[in-house]
Amino acid sequence: MDCVRLVNREHRLPHEESLWTKELVWIDHQTQLQPVCARALNAWISACGGEQEVTFVSGWRSYAQQHIIMKETEAERGWDYAHQFVAEVRASEHHTGLAIDLGIAGKDQDLICPDFSGPLAEKMHACAARFGFILRYPKQKTKITGISEEPWHYRYVGPLHAQIMNERDWVLEEYAEFLRTCSPSHPYLYFDGQQHWALWTQSVSSTVDDGAAGSLLDETTRLIVQALDPAPVAIGKDRAWVELDSAALRHNLITLEKAMSDKQKIMAVLKANAYGHGLAPIAQFLSRQGVDHFAVATMEEAKVIRDLNPNAEILILGYVPACHAQEVSELKLSLTLTSYQQACQLSQTGYPITAHLPVDTGMHRLGEAAQDLDALARYYQLPNIKITGTYSHLYEADNLSPEAQVHTQAQIERFFAAIDGLKHRGIDPGRVHLQGSYGFLNYPELRCDLVRCGIALFGCIADHRSQTKLDLRPVASVHTRIAALRSLKKGEGAGYNHVWSAPQDTTAAILSIGYSDGLLRSSSFQGVEVLIHGQRCPLVGAMCMDQCFVDIGSLPAVIGEEVIVIGTQGTQSISALEIADRTGTIVPETLSLLRGRMPRIFI
């Protein structure tokens, strides 16, 4: 991503705008940004405690949108005003998805000149550079930028560049002018407090040296940034860890919400440690995004969420015995009534219990048969039990075969017949929910109050199992490091029992991750690969509890180097879907196996 790309009247973007639209993520229901900018914005606002106070006035704009805004502003406020505050098409930073206009929530905001003032705005301005943002159009630099002061308009350029510009009191035009004087033979050397860097520019037609990262500074100039020493290892990233993409998670949440009707709400299913993503950090993040319905499997999981969110509805989908009734009541949790016997036992404790009633529509797992209205109705008569929801589960919702769709339609009909039957008897079924992730994607027309989203929230939907194609992004990536390197001769074995031997002279990398971190021990024999230097390398040999072997051939590698187990490196990606397919399982199992000893780190 060309984060330092200079965009103004003199340096316009090309006519083709698709370069800037491929990876955009939603940050609210109207606003999109580049993922790198969205992640930094999340962290910046959170660090300043501004989640409830900041509103997003304008992010990415298409060329067509910019044209309309300019023409409307000219017509309503005059040509001079419009060209003071609105950039022309292809000269606006908003086209990049790296610029954001901020406002204070609760105020009527003007699209052209929003109000971003007060203590929070001052606090965010003071630390903007730390998160990679610059105030793009300050008052004292209007002659240079050609734009009037805009205290609401921030541009993401990355922490390194923002720090340099902040120290020098430069706007982007000044920084670009300075960088153009730097060459490979006379680079700008900079120490950011942790790492040394060399920066220089060259023509876009010149070759970039290995080990240097190049991006466009303008239409004719490439900016090269080279690290002169290794980056310090961040806390938690020394052995094996899971990164959680905050931009992807919020994007998925908004994408799902936009696909629902206005009356529907998401019930975030966070069982199995939020499908391996980490229950506490995911629940906290979703709570900040306004999610107020959660589903889990156990009391322990429910208590974690309750500590983070005192007001949300938290439904426990699994069996909870009556001995926990007092705690359930005090914590205001919602229980699943797994059987009439359990419901009676809960009722007899005398504690007021809120519950949801499962209806058996064919899976034969929990609840009374949908056709037996008498059996269902008796639950609603129990003292101390308040049923606020009724639900079922579509056991073949991810199967698009004609036979499976017939079975699913039969389930749907049984469920809604039961709901209608209860209503006919004067019984309020409460919130109705039937769809899980695939249930919603394949049967989005169903009239339900809640949609139970688990794996869809985490962006791991198989396209061939889904009729509704939504732009959902993977949230979790799994990382580890090279612990050791071993040169092996052809035929030489490595690992337990030497079940693998080198097919030729090669190098084996020993990674600091194993089956106690949640990798399947069998994956070494099922074609599972990892990414090193952006290239695929196969797992080999018998996986150990805390390490595993990778055949890297002649690939140059160093001890301590980062390796991707799930995620993207360079142009290559390895998804949880791919690993599940190779190991003969499903994505929820692949992800939920990820052990808690690996830190979960939001990016």
Side-chain angles (χ1 to χ4, degrees):
M1 179 53 62
D2 298 330
C3 291
V4 197
R5 177 70 179 264
L6 177 61
V7 183
N8 55 27
R9 292 187 181 95
E10 289 72 39
H11 298 281
R12 298 178 184 242
L13 293 170
H15 289 279
E16 174 55 56
E17 61 182 318
S18 62
L19 171 66
W20 301 98
T21 61
K22 295 176 183 178
E23 302 297 329
L24 292 169
V25 294
W26 292 102
I27 62 171
D28 66 18
H29 281 247
Q30 290 79 40
T31 313
Q32 292 176 284
L33 290 175
Q34 298 295 339
V36 66
C37 180
R39 295 183 198 112
L41 184 62
N42 284 345
W44 184 28
I45 293 174
S46 178
C48 294
E51 290 96 335
Q52 305 304 316
E53 294 184 59
V54 174
T55 187
F56 307 129
V57 179
S58 186
W60 172 80
R61 297 176 190 162
S62 69
Y63 290 178
Q65 288 173 315
Q66 191 69 20
H67 176 75
I68 292 170
I69 291 171
M70 175 64 85
K71 292 303 179 185
E72 288 181 346
T73 307
E74 286 178 347
E76 294 171 5
R77 306 186 187 185
W79 193 96
D80 289 341
Y81 182 94
H83 287 260
Q84 274 186 315
F85 293 103
V86 182
E88 297 170 1
V89 174
R90 295 175 43 230
S92 171
E93 291 195 322
H94 284 286
H95 298 319
T96 67
L98 296 169
I100 182 71
D101 290 347
L102 301 174
I104 298 298
K107 297 183 178 182
D108 291 333
Q109 295 292 351
D110 179 67
L111 176 65
I112 307 304
C113 295
D115 179 8
F116 191 58
S117 59
L120 176 63
E122 293 173 3
K123 183 178 181 180
M124 289 184 62
H125 177 70
C127 64
R130 180 156 59 95
F131 296 93
F133 289 91
I134 58 170
L135 181 64
R136 183 65 179 91
Y137 304 117
K139 183 177 182 179
Q140 69 276 19
K141 303 281 186 171
T142 56
K143 290 184 179 180
I144 298 173
T145 63
I147 299 290
S148 292
E149 178 189 14
E150 294 190 357
W152 55 83
H153 181 103
Y154 282 87
R155 164 72 185 272
Y156 181 81
V157 294
L160 173 64
H161 304 292
Q163 183 172 321
I164 295 171
M165 282 186 267
N166 187 56
E167 290 178 1
R168 298 291 192 98
D169 190 29
W170 281 338
V171 289
L172 190 52
E173 283 81 1
E174 293 172 299
Y175 186 46
E177 183 178 359
F178 166 75
L179 288 172
R180 292 189 193 100
T181 68
C182 304
S183 65
S185 58
H186 292 89
Y188 174 53
L189 302 178
Y190 183 76
F191 178 60
D192 65 6
Q194 292 186 307
Q195 200 171 5
H196 293 84
W197 301 89
L199 298 87
W200 68 91
T201 54
Q202 57 191 52
S203 168
V204 293
S205 60
S206 304
T207 302
V208 179
D209 295 334
D210 291 340
S215 62
L216 289 180
L217 181 64
D218 58 42
E219 61 275 18
T220 62
T221 310
R222 178 179 285 114
L223 170 63
I224 311 299
V225 179
Q226 186 174 43
L228 300 181
D229 46 25
V233 176
I235 295 174
K237 295 185 177 183
D238 53 340
R239 191 192 69 85
W241 67 98
V242 179
E243 290 188 358
L244 305 173
D245 188 337
S246 60
L249 181 54
R250 183 163 59 176
H251 169 83
N252 293 345
L253 174 64
I254 294 170
T255 298
L256 289 163
E257 288 176 340
K258 288 169 73 72
M260 295 177 185
S261 71
D262 293 339
K263 295 182 179 180
Q264 288 180 310
K265 288 192 173 184
I266 281 179
M267 174 176 273
V269 181
L270 302 187
K271 57 186 179 178
N273 197 26
Y275 289 76
H277 290 69
L279 177 57
I282 294 294
Q284 185 173 49
F285 184 88
L286 292 176
S287 294
R288 288 176 174 172
Q289 307 307 310
V291 175
D292 53 13
H293 298 277
F294 295 90
V296 293
T298 69
M299 273 280 293
E300 289 71 23
E301 291 173 336
K303 287 157 70 174
V304 170
I305 299 178
R306 179 58 79 221
D307 286 342
L308 297 168
N309 190 326
N311 300 315
E313 178 188 27
I314 305 170
L315 173 63
I316 301 174
L317 297 169
Y319 169 71
V320 176
C323 61
H324 293 298
Q326 180 179 354
E327 188 174 18
V328 167
S329 181
E330 290 173 350
L331 292 173
K332 298 181 179 179
L333 305 175
S334 295
L335 295 186
T336 290
L337 301 177
T338 58
S339 69
Y340 188 67
Q341 181 181 4
Q342 177 226 22
C344 289
Q345 291 170 349
L346 288 166
S347 175
Q348 290 165 8
T349 66
Y351 293 105
I353 299 294
T354 300
H356 286 217
L357 180 63
V359 178
D360 182 7
T361 57
M363 190 172 184
H364 305 319
R365 185 168 64 178
L366 296 176
E368 307 290 346
Q371 301 91 327
D372 194 343
L373 287 178
D374 290 337
L376 291 170
R378 60 182 175 167
Y379 284 82
Y380 295 87
Q381 310 306 316
L382 290 172
N384 305 313
I385 303 291
K386 181 180 180 182
I387 297 177
T388 60
T390 306
Y391 73 97
S392 189
H393 189 62
L394 303 175
Y395 63 91
E396 284 187 291
D398 63 342
N399 188 337
L400 297 179
S401 71
E403 183 181 14
Q405 292 186 55
V406 169
H407 294 165
T408 301
Q409 287 295 344
Q411 278 193 274
I412 293 168
E413 291 171 8
R414 292 186 200 109
F415 179 70
F416 284 109
I419 295 297
D420 291 340
L422 290 171
K423 289 180 178 179
H424 185 72
R425 294 188 179 204
I427 296 172
D428 179 7
R431 294 187 180 93
V432 171
H433 49 111
L434 178 61
Q435 304 140 297
S437 291
Y438 281 103
F440 174 69
L441 293 172
N442 290 327
Y443 303 90
E445 72 281 357
L446 300 183
R447 49 184 175 92
C448 295
D449 302 303
L450 299 172
V451 178
R452 300 189 304 269
C453 289
I455 203 65
L457 265 179
F458 302 117
C460 292
I461 293 296
D463 284 343
H464 67 282
R465 294 181 180 274
S466 173
Q467 294 192 95
T468 303
K469 306 301 182 185
L470 297 182
D471 177 23
L472 301 174
R473 314 283 178 88
V475 171
S477 55
V478 180
H479 307 244
T480 187
R481 295 193 183 277
I482 296 176
L485 296 165
R486 294 288 182 267
S487 296
L488 300 175
K489 297 293 184 181
K490 180 179 179 179
E492 192 172 1
Y496 287 117
N497 300 311
H498 281 189
V499 294
W500 173 81
S501 57
Q504 57 195 14
D505 290 356
T506 191
T507 299
I510 292 81
L511 308 185
S512 55
I513 191 171
Y515 63 76
S516 64
D517 296 296
L519 305 189
L520 287 174
R521 191 169 185 270
S522 61
S523 59
S524 297
F525 309 103
Q526 294 173 303
V528 173
E529 298 170 311
V530 299
L531 297 177
I532 301 176
H533 279 343
Q535 297 188 36
R536 287 173 171 263
C537 300
L539 292 176
V540 294
M543 184 176 294
C544 308
M545 180 178 286
D546 308 302
Q547 288 94 28
C548 60
F549 294 83
V550 177
D551 184 357
I552 66 171
S554 59
L555 190 68
V558 295
I559 292 173
E561 184 172 345
E562 185 174 332
V563 177
I564 303 298
V565 179
I566 297 175
T568 299
Q569 194 177 63
T571 59
Q572 290 286 329
S573 294
I574 294 175
S575 68
L577 285 162
E578 175 186 327
I579 293 177
D581 285 344
R582 287 182 181 271
T583 55
T585 184
I586 58 176
V587 171
E589 181 180 28
T590 297
L591 292 174
S592 63
L593 285 174
L594 299 175
R595 299 292 191 268
R597 76 176 189 174
M598 289 193 291
R600 269 60 174 177
I601 301 171
F602 263 111
I603 60 171

